[in-house]
Amino acid sequence: MGLKGKLIAQIEMKCAGDLLHEHFKSNPHQTSTMSPDRVTNFTLHDGQLGKTNSVISWKYILGGKERHAKQVFHIDDAEKSITFNFIEGHMNELYNSMTLTLTIKENWITWTIMYEKLNENIPEPLDFMEFIIGLIKDIATHHVGK
Protein backbone atom coordinates (compact mmCIF):
# COMPACT_ATOMS: atom_id res chain seq x y z
CA MET A 1 0.00 0.00 0.00
CA GLY A 2 1.10 3.55 -0.68
CA LEU A 3 1.65 6.29 1.81
CA LYS A 4 -0.32 8.93 -0.10
CA GLY A 5 -4.08 9.00 -0.25
CA LYS A 6 -7.20 10.97 -1.01
CA LEU A 7 -10.60 10.67 0.65
CA ILE A 8 -13.70 12.38 -0.74
CA ALA A 9 -17.16 12.74 0.78
CA GLN A 10 -20.03 14.51 -0.97
CA ILE A 11 -23.24 15.39 0.83
CA GLU A 12 -26.39 17.21 -0.21
CA MET A 13 -27.37 19.80 2.41
CA LYS A 14 -30.81 21.18 3.23
CA CYS A 15 -29.47 24.73 3.49
CA ALA A 16 -27.84 26.95 0.88
CA GLY A 17 -24.21 26.01 0.33
CA ASP A 18 -23.23 29.69 0.21
CA LEU A 19 -24.07 29.95 3.92
CA LEU A 20 -21.61 27.16 4.72
CA HIS A 21 -18.88 28.69 2.57
CA GLU A 22 -19.40 32.03 4.31
CA HIS A 23 -19.38 30.33 7.71
CA PHE A 24 -15.94 28.76 7.25
CA LYS A 25 -14.61 31.84 5.46
CA SER A 26 -15.71 34.58 7.84
CA ASN A 27 -17.32 33.04 10.94
CA PRO A 28 -15.40 29.89 11.90
CA HIS A 29 -15.15 31.23 15.45
CA GLN A 30 -18.89 30.45 15.80
CA THR A 31 -18.37 26.74 15.06
CA SER A 32 -18.07 25.72 18.71
CA THR A 33 -21.53 27.14 19.46
CA MET A 34 -23.05 25.18 16.55
CA SER A 35 -21.19 21.93 17.24
CA PRO A 36 -20.01 22.01 20.87
CA ASP A 37 -19.59 18.22 21.06
CA ARG A 38 -17.06 18.35 18.21
CA VAL A 39 -15.28 21.74 18.38
CA THR A 40 -14.25 23.28 21.69
CA ASN A 41 -12.15 26.26 20.59
CA PHE A 42 -11.13 28.36 17.60
CA THR A 43 -8.22 30.83 17.53
CA LEU A 44 -7.05 33.27 14.84
CA HIS A 45 -3.25 33.46 15.16
CA ASP A 46 -2.22 35.55 12.18
CA GLY A 47 -4.05 37.41 9.43
CA GLN A 48 -7.72 38.20 9.23
CA LEU A 49 -10.86 36.09 9.02
CA GLY A 50 -11.98 35.80 5.42
CA LYS A 51 -8.46 36.34 4.07
CA THR A 52 -6.20 33.78 2.40
CA ASN A 53 -3.02 32.74 4.25
CA SER A 54 -4.48 33.47 7.67
CA VAL A 55 -3.30 31.08 10.40
CA ILE A 56 -5.97 29.52 12.58
CA SER A 57 -6.22 26.72 15.11
CA TRP A 58 -8.97 24.48 16.40
CA LYS A 59 -9.44 22.30 19.44
CA TYR A 60 -11.74 19.43 18.61
CA ILE A 61 -12.88 16.07 19.98
CA LEU A 62 -11.75 13.04 17.98
CA GLY A 63 -11.75 9.51 19.34
CA GLY A 64 -12.95 10.76 22.72
CA LYS A 65 -9.89 13.00 23.17
CA GLU A 66 -9.39 16.71 22.70
CA ARG A 67 -7.06 17.29 19.75
CA HIS A 68 -5.42 20.37 18.26
CA ALA A 69 -4.93 21.49 14.65
CA LYS A 70 -3.16 24.59 13.40
CA GLN A 71 -3.84 25.45 9.77
CA VAL A 72 -3.21 27.99 7.05
CA PHE A 73 -6.24 28.48 4.84
CA HIS A 74 -6.69 29.45 1.22
CA ILE A 75 -10.00 30.87 0.04
CA ASP A 76 -11.23 30.70 -3.55
CA ASP A 77 -14.51 32.63 -3.72
CA ALA A 78 -14.96 32.01 -7.45
CA GLU A 79 -14.88 28.23 -6.95
CA LYS A 80 -16.56 28.41 -3.51
CA SER A 81 -13.75 26.42 -1.95
CA ILE A 82 -11.59 26.71 1.14
CA THR A 83 -8.41 24.66 1.63
CA PHE A 84 -7.00 24.11 5.10
CA ASN A 85 -3.30 23.14 5.17
CA PHE A 86 -2.38 21.42 8.44
CA ILE A 87 0.87 22.83 9.85
CA GLU A 88 0.78 21.67 13.48
CA GLY A 89 -1.15 19.38 15.79
CA HIS A 90 -2.55 15.86 16.03
CA MET A 91 -2.72 15.17 12.28
CA ASN A 92 0.90 16.27 11.84
CA GLU A 93 1.89 13.56 14.33
CA LEU A 94 0.46 10.95 11.94
CA TYR A 95 0.89 12.44 8.48
CA ASN A 96 3.78 14.12 6.65
CA SER A 97 1.21 16.37 5.03
CA MET A 98 -2.53 16.86 5.08
CA THR A 99 -4.89 19.26 3.35
CA LEU A 100 -8.62 19.47 3.81
CA THR A 101 -10.68 21.17 1.09
CA LEU A 102 -14.31 22.21 1.37
CA THR A 103 -15.97 22.82 -2.00
CA ILE A 104 -19.56 23.97 -2.45
CA LYS A 105 -21.74 23.77 -5.55
CA GLU A 106 -25.30 24.87 -4.88
CA ASN A 107 -26.35 22.77 -1.89
CA TRP A 108 -23.74 20.02 -2.44
CA ILE A 109 -20.80 19.95 -0.06
CA THR A 110 -17.60 18.10 -0.95
CA TRP A 111 -14.88 17.42 1.61
CA THR A 112 -11.55 16.25 0.18
CA ILE A 113 -8.69 15.09 2.38
CA MET A 114 -5.28 14.71 0.73
CA TYR A 115 -2.63 13.14 2.94
CA GLU A 116 0.71 11.40 3.13
CA LYS A 117 1.15 8.97 6.02
CA LEU A 118 4.38 8.97 8.06
CA ASN A 119 4.61 5.21 7.56
CA GLU A 120 2.60 2.17 6.44
CA ASN A 121 1.31 1.50 9.98
CA ILE A 122 -0.66 4.77 10.11
CA PRO A 123 -4.35 4.30 9.26
CA GLU A 124 -6.21 6.30 6.66
CA PRO A 125 -7.92 9.30 8.31
CA LEU A 126 -11.41 7.77 8.11
CA ASP A 127 -12.20 8.86 11.67
CA PHE A 128 -11.40 12.45 10.73
CA MET A 129 -13.59 12.23 7.61
CA GLU A 130 -16.44 10.99 9.79
CA PHE A 131 -15.76 13.89 12.17
CA ILE A 132 -15.94 16.57 9.46
CA ILE A 133 -19.09 15.06 7.95
CA GLY A 134 -20.75 15.26 11.37
CA LEU A 135 -19.43 18.80 11.82
CA ILE A 136 -20.87 20.06 8.52
CA LYS A 137 -24.22 18.45 9.35
CA ASP A 138 -24.27 20.25 12.72
CA ILE A 139 -23.49 23.58 11.07
CA ALA A 140 -26.00 23.02 8.26
CA THR A 141 -28.73 22.25 10.80
CA HIS A 142 -28.06 25.65 12.34
CA HIS A 143 -28.53 27.33 8.92
CA VAL A 144 -31.63 25.47 7.68
CA GLY A 145 -34.33 27.96 6.77
CA LYS A 146 -31.95 30.91 6.41
Side-chain angles (χ1 to χ4, degrees), residues 6 14 22 34 38 41 54 69 73-74 85 87 97 107-108 113 122 126 128 132 143 146:
K6 182 181 195 178
K14 293 181 181 177
E22 191 60 32
M34 297 175 194
R38 296 180 203 281
N41 184 272
S54 293
F73 67 82
H74 175 79
N85 293 305
I87 58 172
S97 63
N107 62 330
W108 283 92
I113 301 174
I122 302 294
L126 297 172
F128 189 65
I132 59 176
H143 289 294
K146 295 182 180 177

Side-chain angles (χ1 to χ4, degrees), residues 14 24 43 62 68 72 77 80 126 143:
K14 293 181 181 177
F24 282 99
T43 303
L62 183 67
H68 168 260
V72 177
D77 284 325
K80 294 283 187 224
L126 297 172
H143 289 294

Side-chain angles (χ1 to χ4, degrees), residues 55-142:
V55 179
I56 60 173
S57 69
W58 307 84
K59 287 187 179 174
Y60 58 97
I61 306 299
L62 183 67
K65 297 180 183 176
E66 187 173 73
R67 307 291 189 177
H68 168 260
K70 193 171 191 179
Q71 303 164 325
V72 177
F73 67 82
H74 175 79
I75 300 165
D76 185 336
D77 284 325
E79 294 295 320
K80 294 283 187 224
S81 75
I82 301 172
T83 300
F84 302 87
N85 293 305
F86 289 74
I87 58 172
E88 184 181 297
H90 174 68
M91 293 301 169
N92 296 82
E93 296 169 8
L94 303 171
Y95 304 94
N96 282 322
S97 63
M98 180 179 276
T99 60
L100 171 65
T101 302
L102 170 66
T103 307
I104 297 168
K105 293 199 190 241
E106 298 173 6
N107 62 330
W108 283 92
I109 305 303
T110 303
W111 283 114
T112 304
I113 301 174
M114 300 275 300
Y115 60 93
E116 181 179 357
K117 298 187 285 185
L118 287 174
N119 62 58
E120 295 257 346
N121 297 322
I122 302 294
E124 280 66 26
L126 297 172
D127 59 344
F128 189 65
M129 180 61 87
E130 183 179 338
F131 167 84
I132 59 176
I133 289 169
L135 177 65
I136 201 74
K137 287 179 178 181
D138 289 348
I139 295 168
T141 298
H142 178 82

